[in-house]
Amino acid sequence: MHSTGVEQGKVSADTLLAGVGELLERPLTPLTDGELVELLREVERAARMTVAVQHQLLIEVDSRSIPAHSGTKTIKRFLMETLRLSHAEAGARVHAATRVGIFRDLAGDEREPELPCTAAALRRGDISIEHARRITTVMTRIPGAVQDLDRVAAEQILTEFAITGSPDDIPKIGENILAHLDPDGTVTDDSDRARMRGIRIGRQRPDGMSPISGEITPTLRALLDPMLAKYARPGVGNPNDAASPGTEVDRVDPSLIAAAAERDSRTATQRTHDAFTLLLSGAVEGTGSGLGSHRGLPVTTVLTMRVEDVERLSGVATTATGGTIPISEALRLAEKSRPYLAVFDHAGLPLHLGRTRRLASPAQRLSLIAALNGCSRPGCDAPASLCAVHHVRDYRTGGPTDIENLVLACDHCHSLINDTDTGWKTVVLAKDSQFPGRTAWIAPAHIDPTRTPRINHRHHTAELLAEVVTNLHRQREHDRQQDRAAHRRWLRKQQPNGPAARTRAATTHPARS
């Protein structure tokens, strides 16, 4: 009798897990140095081949529209939620699968991968996923006008080098190939430049800094060069020099600019950074004139800070985009900001609109930004700037536009809320709950069969940390009580007239008949 596909897949997974488990339990000390190195190579090859299997699974999941059926919309978001991957890792896996994964057409026949040599080497375990990513980066930069045979040859050269070389050296080989294919840059056309354009702003690090990288088109370069020539020159826009002129540089005595330039110790890259800060501050701060509005608020920086942090001049303020900024810098920005104030009591801003209007007011949105920081669906990390205001109790069924009935939800998560079997639900937690007044989400049964209301801690790590610390204190106190009880029992056993002593006496001197 033939096994079903499910049974075969389960057997394969069990075999893989059993093999890995056996390796984990296997002692390594009996191995010779040569055997240890060989085992290291074999495990690395197996891990690389497993990546190719992951790509096939990812492609199959996507072809069956499983992400759409589960409400996660994209395969990237599905991987983040199902496998608990980071945003960057999930995106990297999807991108790699599209380049080196094997797809099938409507008839079920396999289609050759976009990078066939790279895909084959990865499936054999000859190269790592990092090799494949570096090869992909080089191949993306090859102009579209290059002949197909030259493109195939370039990928083959890169793959053959990757089999024996380090991923760090692939860009160098790639530069040589690109220089040969387009020595004077005439083959690259506007479509190639449009394809390669992009600016990447990485996630903010714990130290507050954010990495930025990318490639810009000749048009953007032509716009930036004169701006930087004026505002990134020495002596202009220096945040460490109160006498340094900013956007008003045209109205300042040239001798003052020259004096400021002599005091300017910034590097060229620091001056470029400060020029962007100077110009964007003028465009965004204040009324945000010329930039219009976004989700009912002017395009401006929204900062939320705690009173105790302001009093101590320490800590950080949070932005509507989920970033942080030191309190000292936030207060400097606030000097020119719009006079909005988030107040969380009934005597403050008009937060209660009842049934008089459906859309939340700017004051309500600002208060929600300050209180929630981002989307309220569990697991979602979308910042407040990407969120809409959602009525927990639907407005169509009588839900008021009051702050107690409003919550933030990003556009994607907002679309998941409906009354179908696959829809999400939102409820306000009762006063006797652990988080009274907070909005909890109830997942559909195919995601959470228990239908337990859950809240999002992604934007409130402090409360989650407090909960964990509280539980640890409770556990330690329980353990101490257990230890004290055990010690008391031990002491009772040691007492001369205690139960243990009487039992020993009865055993040593049995009663005479």
Side-chain angles (χ1 to χ4, degrees):
M1 183 174 66
H2 296 288
S3 300
T4 65
V6 174
E7 292 172 342
Q8 291 174 348
K10 187 68 168 64
V11 169
S12 299
D14 288 345
T15 303
L16 176 62
L17 292 173
V20 174
E22 182 181 349
L23 283 175
L24 288 173
E25 298 297 329
R26 179 179 177 180
L28 301 178
T29 49
L31 299 178
T32 65
D33 291 353
E35 291 172 338
L36 185 63
V37 173
E38 183 60 27
L39 178 60
L40 183 66
R41 291 197 182 99
E42 291 175 354
V43 171
E44 176 63 21
R45 178 178 293 274
R48 295 175 176 184
M49 296 174 69
T50 303
V51 171
V53 176
Q54 288 177 330
H55 291 161
Q56 295 307 105
L57 292 171
L58 186 154
I59 292 171
E60 185 68 18
V61 166
D62 193 40
S63 66
R64 298 188 188 188
S65 300
I66 293 178
H69 296 157
S70 64
T72 51
K73 193 175 182 179
T74 65
I75 182 65
K76 178 179 176 179
R77 176 61 62 175
F78 177 82
L79 293 177
M80 291 172 62
E81 295 189 1
T82 305
L83 303 182
R84 302 185 301 281
L85 299 181
S86 68
H87 184 276
E89 177 60 23
R93 290 193 187 185
V94 172
H95 185 261
T98 59
R99 297 302 183 96
V100 298
I102 299 177
F103 291 81
R104 295 181 181 273
D105 56 25
L106 295 177
D109 297 326
E110 290 186 353
R111 290 190 287 109
E112 188 175 70
E114 184 177 332
L115 301 176
C117 293
T118 308
L122 183 63
R123 290 171 68 88
R124 295 192 304 267
D126 291 338
I127 64 174
S128 68
I129 186 59
E130 186 60 27
H131 284 105
R133 289 170 179 167
R134 299 291 180 92
I135 293 173
T136 299
T137 300
V138 174
M139 295 300 296
T140 301
R141 294 182 57 195
I142 295 180
V146 170
Q147 295 183 3
D148 290 342
L149 286 179
D150 289 336
R151 189 181 301 275
V152 171
E155 193 224 344
Q156 183 176 341
I157 292 172
L158 289 168
T159 304
E160 290 176 352
F161 176 82
I163 293 175
T164 58
S166 166
D168 294 333
D169 296 328
I170 291 178
K172 301 175 185 177
I173 305 298
E175 290 296 333
N176 293 333
I177 293 175
L178 291 170
H180 173 74
L181 296 177
D182 189 12
D184 53 6
T186 57
V187 179
T188 302
D189 57 18
D190 288 342
S191 62
D192 295 317
R193 286 185 280 269
R195 173 170 48 85
M196 291 185 288
R197 78 188 189 282
I199 296 176
R200 294 174 293 275
I201 302 178
R203 288 181 176 270
Q204 191 173 29
R205 301 194 305 256
D207 60 6
M209 303 298 285
S210 302
I212 182 171
S213 61
E215 297 183 53
I216 61 175
T217 61
T219 301
L220 180 54
R221 180 62 184 263
L223 294 172
L224 286 176
D225 281 346
M227 180 196 76
L228 296 177
K230 179 176 182 178
Y231 294 105
R233 57 176 166 160
V236 177
N238 188 350
N240 300 319
D241 186 351
S244 174
T247 53
E248 74 285 358
V249 61
D250 292 333
R251 300 187 295 272
V252 175
D253 188 333
S255 62
L256 296 179
I257 300 176
E262 292 181 1
R263 298 189 300 269
D264 198 340
S265 60
R266 296 174 298 167
T267 64
T269 55
Q270 289 172 337
R271 294 199 306 269
T272 299
H273 173 279
D274 295 341
F276 277 107
T277 303
L278 178 67
L279 295 172
L280 287 175
S281 296
V284 175
E285 70 186 11
T287 60
S289 59
L291 298 180
S293 62
H294 175 64
R295 297 187 184 275
L297 293 177
V299 176
T300 186
T301 302
V302 178
L303 299 175
T304 303
M305 58 191 87
R306 299 187 304 175
V307 173
E308 53 265 37
D309 289 338
V310 175
E311 292 175 343
R312 295 195 306 262
L313 289 179
S314 64
V316 296
T318 58
T319 68
T321 54
T324 59
I325 180 172
I327 286 293
S328 57
E329 296 292 331
L331 291 177
R332 275 196 283 269
L333 283 177
E335 292 176 358
K336 301 178 182 180
S337 66
R338 294 178 65 91
Y340 280 129
L341 177 64
V343 180
F344 293 95
D345 58 26
H346 299 294
L349 295 172
L351 304 181
H352 300 268
L353 304 177
R355 297 284 298 168
T356 60
R357 58 182 292 178
R358 182 176 185 274
L359 298 179
S361 69
Q364 288 175 320
R365 171 171 283 278
L366 285 170
S367 294
L368 290 172
I369 290 173
L372 302 179
N373 299 328
C375 181
S376 57
R377 187 171 79 94
C380 183
D381 59 358
S385 60
L386 299 181
C387 292
V389 177
H390 164 65
H391 287 71
V392 180
R393 180 187 173 194
D394 199 336
Y395 183 83
R396 293 172 298 179
T397 60
T401 308
D402 290 346
I403 197 69
E404 295 90 344
N405 193 48
L406 301 178
V407 75
L408 293 180
C410 70
D411 292 339
H412 167 61
C413 294
H414 203 186
S415 67
L416 300 178
I417 304 173
N418 57 71
D419 294 328
T420 66
D421 293 338
T422 59
W424 288 68
K425 307 291 188 297
T426 54
V427 296
V428 176
L429 296 179
K431 294 181 179 180
D432 58 350
S433 67
Q434 185 177 3
F435 301 100
R438 290 282 294 277
T439 299
W441 290 59
I442 302 176
H446 70 276
I447 295 179
D448 181 12
T450 66
R451 309 301 305 278
T452 302
R454 305 182 190 279
I455 66 172
N456 191 4
H457 292 287
R458 292 291 290 272
H459 307 287
H460 303 272
T461 53
E463 68 182 12
L464 191 60
L465 179 63
E467 180 184 0
V468 172
V469 171
T470 299
N471 290 336
L472 287 174
H473 281 305
R474 289 174 179 170
Q475 183 61 44
R476 290 181 179 177
E477 181 60 28
H478 177 267
D479 293 343
R480 282 195 290 265
Q481 292 177 356
Q482 293 289 99
D483 291 341
R484 285 194 291 266
H487 185 64
R488 286 194 296 268
R489 289 194 296 268
W490 180 82
L491 287 177
R492 285 197 297 269
K493 292 180 180 180
Q494 307 308 313
Q495 293 175 356
N497 298 323
R502 289 195 294 269
T503 301
R504 288 196 300 271
T507 303
T508 307
H509 305 287
R512 297 175 181 175
S513 56

